[in-house]
Amino acid sequence: MSAISPSRAVQSIIAIAIFAGLANASLLCAPVIATQLMTQLTLSAQQVGLFFSMEFAGYCIAGLAGQWLLPRLSWHMIVRAAIVIVVLANLCAVMLLHQGSSLWWNLLLLIRLTGASASAMLGIVAMSSANRHPEAGRAYGFYILGQCVTGVIGLAILPPLFMHWGVSVYFICITGLFLLAAFMTHLLDNGMNSRQTTASLKTNKGQGHPFPVALRRAAVLLFYMGLSGIWTFSGALGQRVGISSLHGGILLSVAAFSGVVGSALAAWYGGRKTGPVSRRTGRALIVGYALLIGALLALTVPLGQAYVTGLIGFKFAWTFVVPFIFATAGKQDRNGEIVAEINLLAGLGLAVSPWIAGQIVAAGSLTLLLLAENILLVLSGLSVFFLRIYDEPSVGEAVFMDD
């Protein structure tokens, strides 16, 4: 994507944002979907946690597959195949949602795992396309913004839609949107040619010492474990302080809008030309992690005002800090393999955390959940900072941040 017209570059950025939002819709709208599953289908907290663990396990499968597929196959072909799988999986889910037997429930979980894997693959291609865009920093900023806007819209409109048509409306709507997005496939990057792929595969083999690789993986894995459990059960946290499902959905939408502000601020700050990139990244990481931990501590206070402040601060800090985490973790990426690994680790964290969080919530301890997730985020932050100390500043750090 290095030699394209300005208009094509803009269209490409829009496509990246759209695919990023749709591919991560389940995560972004998890609070209202989880609440609706519990109220409409009378699912237990453990069942809801397992449902979203299957959703997020798709990130792991897509990450593993992406490490092999992205350097070798046409990315456009991968996108088209993934959209077909997502559409079929969502339509099957609509038919199975209201079946009561354990057999149908297990089949639903399997179908969701399949659809989520294909959806996550679309996110990987969008993220890799942003990384290879001529204006990578701006493209990556729009990648995050696309997710945030999807969250704002979904959290605002899904609760009233659920009241009239139930949880099935989510899967029907997302299916239609994926079909429309299919027409934008050609605007994404198509990957490497065979000669570039061979050279890049050789370059990536053996790169990285074990210690920084372990730090990189811990930073991403623990970060998403710390996020997912809280976001999935943030609706339950609101109910604890007397906020209804409908008003909670509105509040979650406001929080998601604060995420838009956070990601926009990250894109602006990361693209500034004053001072070394490494110093700007370090400052942003300190501010972002401090805000995240402070927000979770606020959520431990069982008061409405503390919940509102904590939730909005949590979403703002989440979207502000994540581009800088990725910029630090993905310094050495050459052909999309590390991007795929990041998605694999994110998926592992997203898959494991809701199930564990469901067990903690079922035991009746939301405060313990918050404290446990806070510890994970502290460990993630320490991993990032040790990674920065270990690695020398390099041009790779500007992959996502430079305009």
Side-chain angles (χ1 to χ4, degrees), residues 33 36-37 40-41 51 90-99 108 112 158 161-176:
I33 297 174
Q36 185 66 20
L37 288 171
Q40 179 185 336
L41 304 181
F51 182 90
N90 284 336
L91 293 177
C92 290
V94 171
M95 294 185 288
L96 293 173
L97 275 171
H98 302 284
Q99 303 295 331
L108 173 63
R112 291 311 309 151
L158 283 178
L161 289 176
F162 286 159
M163 292 179 65
H164 291 89
W165 291 288
V167 72
S168 297
V169 73
Y170 166 76
F171 297 100
I172 295 172
C173 289
I174 201 70
T175 296

Side-chain angles (χ1 to χ4, degrees), residues 287-372:
V287 172
Y289 272 104
L291 288 174
L292 264 180
I293 293 168
L296 290 193
L297 291 176
L299 288 173
T300 61
V301 180
L303 297 174
Q305 290 181 337
Y307 172 77
V308 172
T309 302
L311 188 65
I312 293 174
F314 173 76
K315 188 63 177 179
F316 174 87
W318 168 0
T319 58
F320 174 78
V321 77
V322 70
F324 300 101
I325 295 173
F326 286 173
T328 302
K331 282 183 179 181
Q332 305 300 323
D333 195 26
R334 296 293 180 270
N335 61 4
E337 286 188 85
I338 292 180
V339 169
E341 181 190 78
I342 288 173
N343 278 268
L344 168 63
L345 295 167
L348 183 59
L350 293 170
V352 171
S353 189
W355 183 83
I356 297 175
Q359 307 305 309
I360 297 174
V361 172
S365 184
L366 287 168
T367 300
L368 178 60
L369 172 65
L370 289 164
L371 293 176

Side-chain angles (χ1 to χ4, degrees), residues 31 155 230-231 233-235 237-238 243 247-256 258-259 292 294-296 298-299 304-318:
L155 293 172
I230 297 300
W231 190 242
F233 288 98
S234 56
L237 289 167
I243 296 176
H247 290 99
I250 297 173
L251 179 57
L252 288 169
S253 183
V254 174
S258 74
L292 264 180
L296 290 193
L299 288 173
Q305 290 181 337
Y307 172 77
V308 172
T309 302
L311 188 65
I312 293 174
F314 173 76
K315 188 63 177 179
F316 174 87
W318 168 0

